[in-house]
């Protein structure tokens, strides 16, 4: 009886082990296990724990907002976290390899690849010897193709711009790896408002998500559509050697005539536009403020005026920069050497060769200590990369000015 029970117990253990044994399916091309979810789909909750790249000498890791090191500095290269993942790398003079970690420091994708990039559509590009492949969150390739270039930042509305050859022809595919049209283009931008600017025979037009041409190929330059509007240039018999900018809708109708040296468009919420008529640097220009329907609101005479973002626009007069509001009132007097648009109520400005961060009341939130900065619009998520005169290497700071290095 005891012998039978022992045999039964052993059988149960062996059977349980069989049930618990994970089936592994390795992609022979990428070397990744595709049997389970490799990385999470985008989830804003994954970014609630803020980790900022932290530098110790020549190595990078990550720290929380109290500057406590969470992931020890061991990498030669890191990118900020995005949806709970960060690209990390080991580099040398002869070779560089990259992988992806989670916020616990666990390697999700091993450091084996020549190039890795997030594609903003819950997809990741990996460069192999034969070219670039695109994988989903299970590590599975979305198709069997190898690409020359994959424009990750041009992944929008579930469409991806990819280069099909080294000769610079481009196609647009969906997130399942399927072509939306058999037509190839010499240049493409990205989808927004379900429309993508593309070129054909050196002229710009636009296609919809089915690949149908919705804006004719007549423009010398065309920018992405926002609020169903896009700025464009077209040949002008009066000024054959200098294109003029105008504004069109997503049917190709002219909203603002092609009369302006530049149009600065606000893509961040107000839908207001600026036409700069005399765009010669150093001279007073006539800036005409339009609404999204092409109605003229007012004009002013400034050397330069940027787009309105969060209700304010940088302007220049007498080689100094300040900010005006949508009604043309000066909110921050011209006093800076250079200004950026506002983002989350803050803006980078330069004074006497050094950068600092101000709020809309012109109060310095971060002192003017920095020589150069990266894109500060992402500061809320992961800080920004800066340089400082008395520090030999670049490092990150957060929105409170805390410096993440030792």
């Amino acid at each position: 009886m005891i012998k039978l029970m022992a045999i039964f117990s052993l059988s149960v253990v062996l059977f349980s082990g069989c049930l618990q044994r994970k089936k592994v399916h390795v992609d022979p091309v990428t070397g990744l296990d595709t049997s389970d979810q490799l990385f999470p789909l985008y989830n804003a909750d994954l970014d609630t724990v803020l980790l900022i790249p932290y530098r110790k000498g020549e190595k990078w890791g990550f720290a929380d907002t109290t500057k406590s090191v969470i992931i020890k500095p061991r990498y030669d290269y890191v990118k900020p976290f995005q949806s709970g993942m960060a690209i990390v790398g080991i580099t040398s003079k002869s070779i560089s390899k990259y992988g992806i970690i989670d916020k616990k420091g666990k390697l999700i994708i091993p450091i084996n690849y020549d190039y890795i990039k997030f594609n903003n559509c819950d997809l990741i590009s990996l460069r192999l010897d034969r070219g670039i492949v695109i994988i989903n969150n299970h590590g599975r390739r979305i198709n069997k193709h190898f690409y020359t270039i994959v424009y990750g930042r041009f992944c929008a509305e579930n469409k991806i711009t990819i280069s099909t050859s080294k000769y610079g022809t481009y196609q647009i595919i969906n997130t399942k790896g399927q072509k939306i049209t058999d037509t190839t283009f010499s240049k493409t931008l990205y989808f927004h408002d379900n429309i993508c600017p593309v070129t054909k025979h050196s002229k710009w037009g636009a296609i919809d998500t089915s690949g149908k041409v919705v804006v004719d190929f007549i423009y010398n330059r065309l920018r992405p559509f926002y609020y169903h509007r896009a700025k464009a240039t077209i040949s002008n018999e009066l000024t054959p050697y200098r294109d003029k900018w105008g504004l069109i809708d997503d049917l190709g109708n002219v909203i603002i005539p092609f009369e302006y040296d530049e149009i600065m468009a606000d893509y961040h919420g107000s839908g207001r536009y600026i036409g700069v008529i005399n765009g010669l640097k150093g001279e007073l220009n006539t800036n005409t403020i339009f609404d999204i329907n092409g109605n003229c609101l007012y004009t002013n005479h400034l050397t330069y005026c940027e787009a309105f973002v969060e209700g304010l626009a940088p302007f220049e007069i007498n080689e100094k920069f300040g900010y005006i509001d949508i009604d043309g009132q000066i909110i921050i007097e011209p006093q800076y050497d250079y200004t950026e648009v506002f983002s989350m109520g803050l803006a980078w400005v330069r004074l006497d060769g050094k950068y600092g961060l101000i709020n809309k009341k012109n109060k310095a939130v971060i002192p003017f200590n920095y020589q150069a900065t990266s894109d500060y619009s992402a500061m809320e998520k992961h800080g920004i990369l800066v340089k400082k005169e008395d520090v030999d290497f670049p490092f990150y700071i957060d929105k409170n000015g805390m410096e993440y290095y030792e």
Side-chain angles (χ1 to χ4, degrees), residues 5 20 136 168 175 211 262 272 287-288 301 361:
M5 289 182 66
Q20 294 174 4
N136 61 20
T175 52
E262 181 58 281
R272 308 272 181 154
N287 301 284
T288 306
H301 296 278
K361 294 182 179 180

Side-chain angles (χ1 to χ4, degrees), residues 334-371:
Q335 58 197 275
Y336 297 109
D337 304 327
Y338 176 77
T339 53
E340 292 274 7
V341 296
F342 274 88
S343 175
M344 299 174 295
L346 303 172
W348 277 108
V349 298
R350 188 176 70 224
L351 183 65
D352 298 329
K354 299 289 181 67
Y355 285 89
L357 194 68
I358 63 170
N359 60 22
K360 291 183 178 181
K361 294 182 179 180
N362 200 27
K363 179 181 178 181
V365 177
I366 293 179
F368 294 85
N369 291 334
Y370 302 100
Q371 294 175 309

